[in-house]
């Protein structure tokens, strides 16, 4: 390398983004994804045994897909080749395959081919890998944010293991940011920067589990602080505040503490807005929670509960809508999946309301608590053996389907609770029909008694 090449390399290194500088070089530096990187797990075993297999890394942005692929190649006896599906075509693939053949022939070295955003390759481009993956010439590691079942052709998918990676947790993002602030060689350790608690919380929230976004935001915040000090790269010994973070990410921190009072205030506001049939307020509080970094699946779980507690059988479809919204969010992720949660919130707010099931269940809990474990009436007991039949189990039981309307007058409660009522359906929505049906059956029951 001559002096000009060296200077160009150093200049490139200096202008390299912080996220790239801080990219872990070894598995022990890697944050998150413990389910595939801890001792005894799939990828760690493959690295330690130098038996790399073709795989598709499926996970959200900034969770470590590219980093993991590089570590796999670096810690095994493989050559690493990377290209993006956005910029490459079949011609590039053929060139890589030819290089892999020469490398194996001349140096007996395998090639790990990392394809970022593999879902962007069309069928013909993906087909170009098939033979070479199957022959073992290349070990393919594809990275995608999309569901491989829909975006990767079946023949290629069958030759690869799908490794699901998760969004990084708040603790993992905090660990990554802390490492960047302390690292003197690759990070910002020379500047003497630190976070106050509010600034760190806001930085974690806006990064949304994306390590690249977190490090980029930190780099911008540090750059702004440096510019205020004349741009000299010397030790600042400054605590990064929430205002520094807000300036860096251009996003104001909302007053929200996921484990504190405001968390409970806002989820209460969402619940009461839906109960009060106000879709506009429900949408507002939903957005407030999402903007502040609340776990969308926590909100979805609360809406599922609401569907049973506050809507109930007045609209039995509400439970299905909320479950579907939760599954839609799991499938789509952010931000697309948020619309499904908004749809569910509006549906729940505008649905007819009934807490009759909720109240009935509370009544039953009290009955069980106060009356204890009452015996099951003999006529509705199961009688799988001769002895049980001789003891009267199942004797006198009336099979409902043998009667008109699939209903017959029969007692199902224990003797001490005979005639008790726990469920009182309302006059709203579908529950009105349930009420009419129950009243009809009760009239038949009472006429038999008379």
């Amino acid at each position: 390398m001559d002096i000009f090449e060296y200077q160009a390399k150093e200049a490139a290194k200096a202008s390299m983004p912080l996220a790239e500088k801080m990219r872990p070089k070894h598995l022990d530096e890697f944050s998150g994804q413990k389910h595939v990187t801890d001792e005894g797990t799939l990828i760690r075993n493959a690295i330690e045994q130098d038996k790399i297999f073709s795989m598709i890394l499926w996970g959200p942005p900034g969770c470590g897909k590219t980093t993991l692929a590089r570590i796999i190649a670096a810690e095994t006896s493989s050559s690493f080749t990377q290209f993006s599906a956005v910029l490459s075509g079949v011609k590039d693939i053929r060139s890589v395959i030819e290089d892999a053949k020469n490398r194996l022939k001349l140096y007996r070295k395998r090639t790990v081919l990392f394809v970022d955003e593999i879902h962007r390759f069309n069928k013909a481009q993906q087909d170009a890998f098939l033979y070479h993956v199957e022959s073992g010439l290349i070990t393919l590691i594809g990275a995608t944010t999309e569901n491989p079942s829909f975006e990767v052709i079946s023949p290629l998918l069958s030759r690869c293991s799908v490794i699901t990676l998760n969004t990084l947790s708040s603790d993992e993002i905090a660990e990554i940011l802390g490492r960047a602030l302390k690292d003197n060689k690759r990070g910002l350790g020379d500047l003497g920067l630190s976070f106050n608690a509010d600034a760190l919380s806001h930085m974690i929230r806006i990064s949304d589990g994306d390590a690249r976004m977190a490090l980029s935001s930190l780099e911008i915040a540090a750059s702004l602080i440096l510019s205020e000090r004349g741009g000299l790269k010397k030790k600042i010994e400054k605590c990064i505040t929430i205002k520094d973070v807000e300036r860096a990410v251009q996003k104001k921190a909302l007053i929200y503490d996921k484990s504190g009072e405001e968390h409970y205030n806002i989820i209460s506001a969402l619940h009461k807005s839906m109960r009060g049939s106000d879709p506009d307020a429900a949408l507002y509080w939903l957005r407030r929670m999402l903007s502040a970094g609340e776990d969308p699946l926590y909100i979805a779980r609360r809406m599922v509960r609401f569907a049973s507690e506050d809507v109930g059988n007045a609209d039995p479809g509400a439970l299905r809508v909320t479950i579907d919204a939760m599954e839609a969010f799991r499938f789509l992720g952010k931000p697309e999946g948020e619309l499904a949660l908004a749809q569910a919130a509006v549906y729940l707010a505008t649905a007819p309301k009934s807490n009759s099931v909720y109240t009935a269940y509370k009544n039953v809990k009290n009955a069980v608590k106060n009356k204890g474990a009452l015996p099951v009436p003999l006529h509705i007991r199961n009688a799988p053996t001769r002895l049980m039949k001789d003891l009267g189990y199942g004797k006198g039981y009336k099979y409902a389907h043998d009667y008109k309307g699939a209903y017959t007058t029969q007692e199902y409660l224990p003797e001490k609770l005979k005639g008790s009522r726990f469920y009182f359906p309302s006059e709203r929505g579908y529950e009105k029909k349930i009420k009419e049906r129950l009243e009809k059956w009760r009239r038949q029951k009472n006429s038999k008694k008379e």
Side-chain angles (χ1 to χ4, degrees), residues 69-322:
R70 289 187 183 179
I71 289 172
I72 289 170
E75 297 200 357
T76 59
S77 55
S78 305
S79 176
F80 184 76
T81 301
Q82 174 180 354
F83 64 85
S84 171
V86 178
L87 305 173
S88 309
V90 173
K91 184 180 176 182
D92 301 290
I93 296 170
R94 288 179 185 144
S95 176
V96 168
I97 298 302
E98 196 60 36
D99 289 343
K101 286 178 181 177
N102 293 332
R103 196 175 290 117
L104 188 63
K105 183 179 178 180
L106 298 173
Y107 307 107
R108 310 302 299 169
K109 199 165 189 180
R110 295 170 302 166
T111 297
V112 170
L113 177 60
F114 176 65
V115 182
D116 199 11
E117 299 190 88
I118 194 170
H119 60 274
R120 292 182 182 271
F121 270 147
N122 59 35
K123 184 180 183 299
Q125 290 168 315
Q126 291 185 35
D127 273 334
F129 291 123
L130 278 176
Y131 173 76
H132 306 292
V133 171
E134 194 165 28
S135 71
L137 176 65
I138 61 170
T139 300
L140 174 66
I141 301 181
T144 179
T145 55
E146 306 294 327
N147 190 327
S149 302
F150 302 109
E151 305 297 338
V152 179
I153 60 173
S154 297
L156 185 56
L157 198 60
S158 69
R159 290 162 173 80
C160 299
S161 295
V162 176
I163 308 295
T164 304
L165 303 184
N166 303 319
T167 300
L168 296 177
S169 68
S170 297
D171 288 342
E172 288 159 354
I173 293 291
E175 179 187 341
I176 290 167
L177 290 170
R179 191 183 300 146
L181 287 176
K182 291 175 184 176
D183 193 312
N184 292 323
K185 292 182 178 179
R186 294 185 290 163
L188 306 173
D190 290 341
L191 300 180
L193 293 170
S194 61
F195 275 112
N196 70 23
D198 289 341
L200 179 60
S201 294
H202 186 43
M203 185 77 83
I204 290 169
R205 279 200 297 272
I206 54 91
S207 69
D208 199 23
D210 185 329
R212 190 185 303 108
M213 185 185 292
L215 289 169
S216 297
S217 300
L218 173 59
E219 186 173 24
I220 295 168
S223 177
L224 288 171
I225 293 168
L226 272 173
S227 67
E228 290 175 350
R229 304 293 176 94
L232 297 174
K233 274 207 166 186
K234 60 182 182 180
K235 205 146 192 171
I236 300 171
E237 297 292 356
K238 181 184 188 307
C239 185
I240 299 172
T241 67
I242 199 163
K243 290 197 178 296
D244 295 322
V245 177
E246 286 174 349
R247 283 192 306 147
V249 300
Q250 296 294 298
K251 186 172 182 181
K252 190 170 178 60
L254 297 172
I255 300 172
Y256 190 82
D257 176 3
K258 286 202 285 184
S259 60
E261 181 184 351
E262 199 64 11
H263 160 83
Y264 296 105
N265 286 341
I266 295 184
I267 192 62
S268 174
L270 172 63
H271 200 122
K272 290 181 172 74
S273 298
M274 293 189 298
R275 182 183 290 154
S277 302
D278 189 334
D280 303 299
L283 284 173
Y284 172 78
W285 294 118
L286 171 67
R287 185 60 223 166
R288 275 284 300 275
M289 296 187 86
L290 292 172
S291 295
E294 182 58 79
D295 178 5
L297 291 176
Y298 166 77
I299 301 172
R301 287 193 294 272
R302 291 302 299 257
M303 289 200 287
V304 170
R305 162 74 183 197
F306 181 94
S308 292
E309 180 180 340
D310 286 276
V311 177
N313 286 332
D315 183 353
L319 188 58
R320 183 68 263 166
V321 167
T322 50

Side-chain angles (χ1 to χ4, degrees), residues 28-42:
D28 291 335
E29 294 180 356
F30 191 77
S31 295
Q33 318 310 337
K34 301 297 184 187
H35 62 295
V36 293
T37 62
D38 264 0
E39 292 294 335
T41 55
L42 188 63

